[in-house]
């Protein structure tokens, strides 16, 4: 299975409709989406971000073609913060310089026949502390410290699981594509071998067949 949660997005083959990500208000927000990006298509997402918020955009192409896609990130003024062409995977971290709606798009417009499956993880802000420090006059207890350590370790485990699922999905796609190519190549070789064998049989048969010659006498 692909990384959780997955949300396939559908749109027209030319330019898919824009999607606004509406997330619950909290100290830290994150969205993980896996979607289909058709050939000659472009998919854009919007996120409302407050000034001074640290954000991270990470994406990876799972299936399709050469596993590459164009990515572009713009601030509310339209200034390009990040732009990469035909990337298989990448990660970009930035701090919002102003309040407003930030836009990031994935484009497969350079591809004519192959559609792509793209996964991205967009994190806004930092995770709130497990034990808020306000209204506390004492340090964390040993049990609370252990809970914090376990919480951080579990987050790392989740990240590793996500990356392993992505690699597994990409590897499976490559293996299926290679299997299809090998199958077609084997069928082609079998047909060529059959044609060559039949041709050799007829060629050898022509060497050993008797050719009758007729002689015509012309009298004076």
């Amino acid at each position: 299975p692909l990384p959780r949660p997955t949300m396939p997005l559908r749109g027209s083959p030319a330019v898919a409709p824009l999607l606004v990500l509406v997330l619950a208000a909290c100290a830290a927000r994150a969205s993980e989406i896996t979607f289909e990006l058709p050939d000659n298509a472009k998919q854009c997402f919007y996120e409302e971000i407050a000034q001074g918020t640290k954000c991270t955009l990470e994406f990876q192409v799972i299936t399709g073609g050469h596993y590459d896609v164009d990515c572009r990130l713009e601030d509310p003024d339209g200034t390009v913060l990040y732009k990469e062409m035909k990337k298989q995977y990448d990660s970009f971290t930035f701090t919002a310089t102003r309040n407003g709606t930030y836009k990031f798009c994935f484009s497969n417009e350079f591809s004519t026949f192959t559609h792509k499956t793209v996964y991205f993880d967009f994190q806004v802000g930092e995770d709130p502390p497990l034990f808020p420090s306000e209204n506390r006059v004492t340090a964390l207890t040993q049990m609370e410290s252990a809970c914090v350590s376990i919480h951080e370790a579990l987050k790392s485990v989740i990240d590793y699981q996500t990356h392993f699922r992505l690699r597994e999905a990409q590897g499976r796609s490559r293996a299926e594509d290679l299997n299809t190519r090998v199958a077609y190549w084997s069928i082609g070789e079998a047909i060529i071998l059959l044609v060559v064998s039949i041709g050799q049989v007829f060629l050898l048969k022509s060497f050993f067949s008797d050719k009758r010659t007729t002689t015509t006498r012309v009298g004076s």
Side-chain angles (χ1 to χ4, degrees):
L2 296 178
R4 58 158 189 86
T6 58
M7 180 186 301
L9 305 178
R10 299 178 180 178
S12 61
V15 178
L18 306 180
L19 178 70
V20 180
L21 298 179
V22 182
L23 303 177
C26 56
R29 304 190 303 270
S31 57
E32 295 181 72
I33 294 180
T34 303
F35 65 96
E36 296 286 341
L37 186 60
D39 52 281
N40 295 316
K42 180 179 180 181
Q43 190 78 48
C44 292
F45 303 87
Y46 292 91
E47 177 65 31
E48 195 76 23
I49 303 176
Q51 183 179 359
T53 304
K54 185 178 180 180
C55 307
T56 300
L57 173 63
E58 182 179 0
F59 68 91
Q60 180 175 343
V61 181
I62 302 175
T63 62
H66 296 287
Y67 302 89
D68 53 356
V69 73
D70 296 342
C71 183
R72 181 187 181 98
L73 173 65
E74 299 179 359
D75 66 3
D77 295 329
T79 304
V80 178
L81 303 178
Y82 171 84
K83 181 181 179 180
E84 288 292 341
M85 310 295 289
K86 297 184 178 181
K87 293 285 289 187
Q88 295 183 351
Y89 58 89
D90 202 4
S91 178
F92 176 69
T93 301
F94 68 98
T95 301
T97 57
R98 56 163 296 176
N99 298 328
T101 302
Y102 287 73
K103 169 186 174 183
F104 56 99
C105 300
F106 298 97
S107 174
N108 192 32
E109 295 175 323
F110 59 86
S111 180
T112 307
F113 302 103
T114 58
H115 71 280
K116 310 289 176 62
T117 302
V118 183
Y119 161 84
F120 76 84
D121 178 14
F122 191 67
Q123 299 180 358
V124 180
E126 298 180 352
D127 292 334
L130 192 60
F131 298 100
S133 58
E134 60 268 13
N135 299 328
R136 290 183 63 96
V137 294
T138 59
L140 295 177
T141 63
Q142 185 176 1
M143 180 65 72
E144 291 173 340
S145 299
C147 291
V148 172
S149 300
I150 294 174
H151 179 68
E152 295 297 328
L154 288 176
K155 289 197 300 183
S156 299
V157 170
I158 292 174
D159 291 337
Y160 280 122
Q161 286 179 338
T162 298
H163 286 292
F164 280 131
R165 288 192 186 101
L166 288 174
R167 291 180 181 179
E168 188 274 335
Q170 190 178 70
R172 184 176 66 249
S173 175
R174 291 180 183 271
E176 291 175 352
D177 181 61
L178 180 60
N179 179 67
T180 302
R181 294 186 180 184
V182 170
Y184 285 145
W185 181 259
S186 300
I187 294 174
E189 283 187 332
I191 294 175
I192 293 175
L193 182 61
L194 180 62
V195 172
V196 171
S197 300
I198 295 175
Q200 289 179 342
V201 170
F202 279 102
L203 182 62
L204 291 174
K205 185 177 180 182
S206 66
F207 289 158
F208 295 98
S209 61
D210 294 333
K211 295 182 179 180
R212 297 181 179 180
T213 58
T214 57
T215 303
T216 304
R217 296 182 180 181
V218 179
S220 55

